[in-house]
Amino acid sequence: MLLLLHASLPGLTTPPTKNWIPFLRRPLYLDETYAADVGFDPLKFVEREGPWWELAGAATAHRRVAWMREAEIKHSRIAMLAAAGWPLSELYHGPLAGAAGLPFGLDPTQGRAPSLLNGNLAESAPLLVLAVLFASYLECRTLDQVHGLTATGRTLRAGQPVELTYSPGDLGFDPLSLYDFWGRLMPPLVEARAAVDNEYRLDWLVYHRRVMEAAEIKNGRLAMLAITGYAFQEALWGVPVVDQTPILFTPLPELCRG
């Protein structure tokens, strides 16, 4: 048990550095600085020169990787919301519209969610404009949350040592305190040592924050694939995705009853 706890902290074990696809060479700039870095960049976007890097202020490989991780995590979050909202809109738009006495708004798309390929996006133009404005506001509020500008290191807050790290996509929004959820679940032996060893406690928290970051980015990558699949499936077959694979969108109690 002690060995497992000891091995769970960074610096005490060194995982092998490898590419996600074994026969591909891992680029040197993918050095596992960020969570869920599997060494996969076959098109070598970071090495491609272009004016966009000058606009982004990213002259070095490390700055470019940080810039692309910022973009990836933000797209991931949008995709996770979309991957849930798309089927929910197809499942519950009709009942909610009927309950509110409103017309069924998905008739033009035969029950499919409005999208670039399905059409009917004009009806949602005001909401889309508000979404763009809100996203622009968040971007402007977090211009200093980038690689090289964010304060890092260890400091004191309210008399307690804390670890300041650069985390791509960190908007300071965590109302449920999920970021440190796993870090707070300390086994008794870890808790006892953390109570007298602040260095150990900080290492424990940083490690488990990285676990949460990895979970977020991996779920986001899956969501980006899913939402792309929704769009092309519905465009090709002309049928709502919830009707193409109903077993995936049927509540568990209903499946058990059926």
Side-chain angles (χ1 to χ4, degrees):
M1 179 65 179
L2 281 172
L3 180 61
L4 290 175
L5 295 178
H6 183 78
S8 66
L9 289 181
L12 302 180
T13 59
T14 305
T17 299
K18 58 184 179 181
N19 197 316
W20 182 52
I21 299 179
F23 56 82
L24 290 182
R25 175 178 161 273
R26 183 186 186 99
L28 295 177
Y29 50 80
L30 295 181
D31 55 4
E32 296 182 321
T33 297
Y34 304 115
D37 176 1
V38 295
F40 184 70
D41 184 21
L43 299 180
K44 294 184 170 50
F45 285 118
V46 170
E47 296 178 354
R48 296 190 178 191
E49 298 297 334
W52 50 86
W53 292 129
E54 294 181 16
L55 293 174
T60 66
H62 286 295
R63 289 291 293 270
R64 292 177 182 183
V65 171
W67 188 88
M68 295 189 78
R69 173 51 69 94
E70 288 273 354
E72 183 183 26
I73 190 63
K74 290 173 182 177
H75 281 82
S76 293
R77 290 166 180 168
I78 293 173
M80 286 188 281
L81 291 172
W86 187 303
L88 287 175
S89 68
E90 295 180 345
L91 288 170
Y92 296 111
H93 174 75
L96 290 175
L102 298 173
F104 184 67
L106 299 183
D107 274 334
T109 57
Q110 293 82 48
R112 296 172 294 162
S115 71
L116 187 64
L117 298 180
N118 289 342
N120 205 35
L121 277 179
E123 298 292 329
S124 307
L127 182 61
L128 294 176
V129 170
L130 288 176
V132 170
L133 291 175
F134 181 64
S136 301
Y137 166 76
L138 291 179
E139 286 292 312
C140 292
R141 284 290 302 273
T142 57
L143 287 177
D144 61 340
Q145 295 293 320
V146 296
H147 184 273
L149 296 181
T150 305
T152 59
R154 294 186 174 178
T155 184
L156 290 176
R157 283 185 181 173
Q160 293 292 325
V162 295
E163 179 82 16
L164 299 178
T165 59
Y166 164 68
S167 179
D170 182 6
L171 302 178
F173 181 75
D174 186 20
L176 300 179
S177 298
L178 295 177
Y179 193 30
D180 288 326
F181 177 77
W182 294 115
R184 292 193 301 269
L185 297 180
M186 294 183 180
L189 291 175
V190 172
E191 189 173 11
R193 180 174 174 181
V196 297
D197 188 340
N198 281 324
E199 189 82 13
Y200 182 84
R201 184 179 68 84
L202 290 175
D203 284 342
W204 177 271
L205 291 174
V206 168
Y207 173 78
H208 285 88
R209 285 178 178 177
R210 189 176 175 92
V211 170
M212 291 295 285
E213 291 169 9
E216 182 181 29
I217 198 71
K218 288 180 178 180
N219 279 279
R221 290 167 180 169
L222 182 61
M224 287 188 280
L225 292 173
I227 199 67
T228 304
Y230 292 172
F232 280 101
Q233 280 179 244
E234 293 197 352
L236 291 173
W237 278 273
V239 178
V241 70
V242 295
D243 293 332
Q244 295 182 39
T245 52
I247 193 172
L248 298 179
F249 303 102
T250 303
L252 188 59
E254 291 185 25
L255 285 176
C256 294
R257 286 198 302 267

